[in-house]
Amino acid sequence: MKRKDIITRRKALAVSASALGALLLPGCSKTSPPTYGSLLRMGDALTYNAQRTLLPGQSLAKEYSFGEISSFPATGTINPADSSKEYYSEEYERLKSGLFANWRLSVEGSVTNAGQYSLQDLQRFASRTQITRHTCEEGWTAIGEWTGVPLSSVLEHAGILPGARFINFYSYDGWEDSIDMLDAFHPQTILAYGMNGKALSIPHGAPVRLRVEKQIGYKSMKYLQRIVVTDEFVDPGDTGWAWYVGI
Ligand SMILES: Nc1nc2c(c(=O)[nH]1)N[C@H]1C(S)=C(S)[C@@H](COP(=O)(O)O)O[C@H]1N2
Ligand SMILES: [Mo]
């Protein structure tokens, strides 16, 4: 699917996605994201994880058993190394041909230690495995097992500065999106490098994708390239999809 088609499709789906958000989240508007900044900024001695436990509404998404894992279609971009596609990335093609040995996830912005993480770097953190249901805005769901590093571990390693409020993600196929600190530090929000016991495949977002289990499927960005911690809300406005669609 071409990037242009994605945008058109996302525009077409905006109404249903916002309606879904409004339905499930009375009182939450997509244009004014929840502001927990002042809460998160209180008490320099507390870690963000400690502060998170003070915040309401951090329930876990349901986790399933091994036997409930289902078939799982790959949708949207399925191979950024395909030069016939509008989402083609020459850099991604190079990284793929080197089996992602040279892939680095850049973590930058409002952090004390900006850095570049290789796949091995990410795999040195304690991992988390979870079997969850993916919900696509197109109306299908699928259950899969994801293994990766909690995003909170990487953010704590990078050292988030007190003013930070949002995490922006950029991918090799040109997608960009953001989540707030509540979702970023949610224990089931992981940078996944494994799916169903194997290395994450190209169609599903190799080498590393985001899993945001508390939100609709399109927030789980594939083909991660860059993470920018910011104190500004960056709405990927051209897409037309709701910024927050909790499930
Ligand atoms: N970079 C990127 N991330 C993406 C997409 C995409 O096209 N590109 N599609 C999104 C949508 S709409 C869904 S439903 C899921 C699909 O993930 P899957 O291909 O592993 O099923 O990824 C999401 N993340
Ligand atoms: Mo989707």
Side-chain angles (χ1 to χ4, degrees):
M1 182 182 295
K2 292 177 181 173
R3 171 72 182 156
K4 199 159 160 264
D5 295 339
I6 293 172
I7 293 168
T8 308
R9 188 175 71 111
R10 294 184 83 171
K11 279 204 174 115
L13 290 159
V15 174
S16 57
S18 332
L20 181 62
L23 188 71
L24 299 177
L25 290 161
C28 281
S29 138
K30 70 167 185 163
T31 50
S32 52
T35 299
Y36 298 99
S38 54
L39 241 190
L40 287 168
R41 261 170 260 159
M42 71 191 196
D44 286 348
L46 296 174
T47 68
Y48 272 90
N49 272 338
Q51 290 170 37
R52 265 202 61 259
T53 65
L54 302 171
L55 299 167
Q58 286 289 284
S59 59
L60 292 181
K62 179 175 175 168
E63 295 195 14
Y64 294 80
S65 64
F66 195 76
E68 291 173 291
I69 292 173
S70 71
S71 66
F72 207 118
T75 56
T77 301
I78 53 168
N79 181 10
D82 181 345
S83 61
S84 73
K85 296 292 196 314
E86 198 172 295
Y87 55 65
Y88 168 68
S89 159
E90 206 181 315
E91 193 184 348
Y92 186 87
E93 186 182 28
R94 256 197 316 276
L95 294 170
K96 181 192 169 192
S97 58
L99 303 174
F100 299 110
N102 294 322
W103 176 87
R104 297 289 182 276
L105 180 65
S106 176
V107 180
E108 53 197 83
S110 300
V111 293
T112 51
N113 307 301
Q116 310 263 317
Y117 296 79
S118 68
L119 189 52
Q120 278 185 341
D121 292 335
L122 295 181
Q123 288 170 341
R124 270 193 284 271
F125 287 95
S127 72
R128 178 182 170 100
T129 294
Q130 59 204 25
I131 301 176
T132 52
R133 182 187 295 275
H134 178 94
T135 302
C136 173
E137 80 294 343
E138 290 182 317
W140 55 270
T141 72
I143 296 175
E145 183 197 66
W146 305 98
T147 298
V149 51
L151 178 60
S152 62
S153 304
V154 175
L155 293 177
E156 289 195 327
H157 186 260
I160 286 203
L161 291 170
R165 290 181 56 209
F166 298 100
I167 312 293
N168 298 323
F169 297 90
Y170 299 86
S171 75
Y172 280 100
D173 64 340
W175 277 45
E176 50 183 88
D177 206 343
S178 62
I179 60 175
D180 67 13
M181 288 298 171
L182 277 183
D183 278 335
F185 279 82
H186 188 280
Q188 289 168 317
T189 297
I190 64 173
L191 301 175
Y193 45 73
M195 180 185 183
N196 296 339
K198 296 188 200 130
L200 187 65
S201 66
I202 305 269
H204 290 292
V208 176
R209 76 178 295 169
L210 184 64
R211 289 297 311 169
V212 186
E213 304 296 357
K214 297 301 295 290
Q215 285 212 57
I216 199 157
Y218 58 74
K219 300 296 277 192
S220 287
M221 189 182 285
K222 308 196 281 187
Y223 315 109
L224 286 179
Q225 176 176 31
R226 203 155 67 94
I227 294 180
V228 181
V229 182
T230 174
D231 51 5
E232 276 170 46
F233 174 59
V234 179
D235 190 350
D238 69 333
T239 66
W241 281 358
W243 177 76
Y244 187 88
V245 186
I247 52 174

